[in-house]
Amino acid sequence: MFASDLHRQIQRIFEEVLGADQTEEQGWYPALDIYETANDIVLLAEVPGMKESDFKLNLDNNVITISGERKLEVEGRRLSRQERPAGTFKRSIALPDNIELDAVKAVYSRGILQITLPKKAAAKPREIAINVV
Amino acid sequence: MTSKAMTKPVTGWLQSPFFSWGGWPSEFVGPKADIYETDDGFYLAMDVPGMSEDSLKVRYENRVLTVSGERKQQEIEGARYHRRESFIGRFQRSFSLSPETDPDQIKAELKDGVLTIFIPKKEAAKPRQISISLG
């Protein structure tokens, strides 16, 4: 697949999936960066102050859904000003169909959840033997 | 002292001319923060995902606590961005503190992308039980 096709496909699906997702769901949306390298598509979600057990990752039909709940209340502390988002969140991202779904990896570090989605090895050029008849 | 009176000290969210957020909506004024109060002091919790302690500065001067920092764009070889919602750039936020807080004992900690600053109350400002003596 050409990179531009992939790009177009991702853009198109973002509109479909994320557009619908945001109108239907309550709560907040972690900021999301998505970049692509030769080998991977990488999603970075900003979800500071959470634990790995607070997240759920779901892969279904080439759509990855990141959901979780951010709990900020601490016993014995009275909140006097709140700007930080809390509560449940959910974001879905449609993936191109060249993702190696079994090799998806997620790491949580410094408040960022990084999900690495390796691309399938592209069909390699090969030589075809010519049979002389 | 009532609890209501004590919530006053950490306020005064000074608008700062130092914001330079790349590609952010104009209403975004800096990292989001919460303020909590306990009997012992105040907790300021600020979301700074992806930042290291080297890129953050906490400064106290003249009863003003200032948190500043810079988040640089991560350079990834051959990366092409499809979506970029995280902020890049410098920020500064200032908070004025009440004279009832003890600036010598301010502590800051960075964990899981949250900067937590503890500002203790002076002993005299902490709530305490007053014993009743029988006359």
Side-chain angles (χ1 to χ4, degrees):
Chain A
M1 183 182 280
F2 290 110
S4 61
D5 287 342
L6 176 65
H7 186 244
R8 204 175 307 126
Q9 190 174 348
I10 290 177
Q11 295 290 11
R12 179 176 58 79
I13 296 168
F14 281 160
E15 282 162 28
E16 286 170 11
V17 175
L18 291 179
D21 189 67
Q22 298 204 356
T23 52
E24 285 166 21
E25 296 289 336
Q26 297 277 316
W28 62 286
Y29 297 91
L32 195 66
D33 287 355
I34 301 174
Y35 67 80
E36 185 186 345
T37 63
N39 300 319
D40 305 302
I41 289 174
V42 180
L43 312 182
L44 298 155
E46 294 195 341
V47 279
M50 295 184 64
K51 291 192 288 284
E52 268 155 73
S53 55
D54 295 334
F55 301 111
K56 237 167 83 184
L57 278 181
N58 184 46
L59 265 165
D60 186 27
N61 249 335
N62 268 31
V63 172
I64 187 164
T65 301
I66 311 164
S67 60
E69 186 174 2
R70 192 184 190 208
K71 298 174 197 133
L72 296 176
E73 40 325 330
V74 179
E75 214 171 313
R77 295 186 188 181
R78 301 180 290 279
L79 190 66
S80 57
R81 184 184 179 105
Q82 183 177 12
E83 299 173 348
R84 300 192 300 160
T88 56
F89 66 86
K90 188 172 167 185
R91 281 198 84 157
S92 299
I93 299 102
L95 305 170
D97 52 17
N98 65 342
I99 298 295
E100 202 76 72
L101 294 177
D102 295 333
V104 172
K105 270 189 228 132
V107 180
Y108 182 64
S109 165
R110 282 186 178 161
I112 293 179
L113 182 67
Q114 171 165 347
I115 304 163
T116 306
L117 308 143
K119 298 186 209 170
K120 281 179 187 157
K124 292 190 177 88
R126 61 200 150 92
E127 285 200 30
I128 293 131
I130 300 164
N131 291 322
V132 178
V133 289
Chain B
M1 182 171 287
T2 66
S3 160
K4 192 154 181 89
M6 286 304 296
T7 57
K8 264 191 160 165
V10 192
T11 48
W13 298 65
L14 311 176
Q15 290 286 344
S16 160
F18 289 85
F19 300 127
S20 59
W21 305 96
W24 270 89
S26 55
E27 67 267 24
F28 191 77
V29 293
K32 292 189 167 77
D34 291 346
I35 296 171
Y36 301 89
E37 186 188 351
T38 65
D39 288 346
D40 296 328
F42 297 92
Y43 288 88
L44 174 72
M46 189 181 274
D47 282 348
V48 287
M51 294 189 68
S52 66
E53 60 274 30
D54 307 333
S55 54
L56 287 163
K57 230 158 91 181
V58 181
R59 198 182 143 83
Y60 173 85
E61 191 182 5
N62 274 338
R63 285 191 193 141
V64 175
L65 183 76
T66 301
V67 182
S68 60
E70 181 171 11
R71 193 171 175 195
K72 292 190 173 129
Q73 178 145 12
Q74 221 187 332
E75 291 300 336
I76 298 141
E77 183 85 25
R80 227 157 32 82
Y81 275 85
H82 290 281
R83 183 174 279 258
R84 173 138 239 171
E85 298 171 351
S86 63
F87 80 84
I88 297 298
R90 290 197 298 157
F91 67 85
Q92 179 169 306
R93 283 194 82 167
S94 295
F95 308 89
S96 59
L97 304 182
S98 138
E100 282 133 4
T101 56
D102 184 357
D104 296 335
Q105 304 296 325
I106 296 174
K107 287 188 181 78
E109 183 191 275
L110 181 66
K111 190 178 177 235
D112 291 334
V114 178
L115 177 68
T116 303
I117 302 170
F118 177 62
I119 306 135
K121 293 176 189 172
K122 280 185 180 154
E123 279 308 315
K126 289 181 186 173
R128 60 190 180 275
Q129 196 95 23
I130 290 126
S131 58
I132 302 162
S133 55
L134 289 172

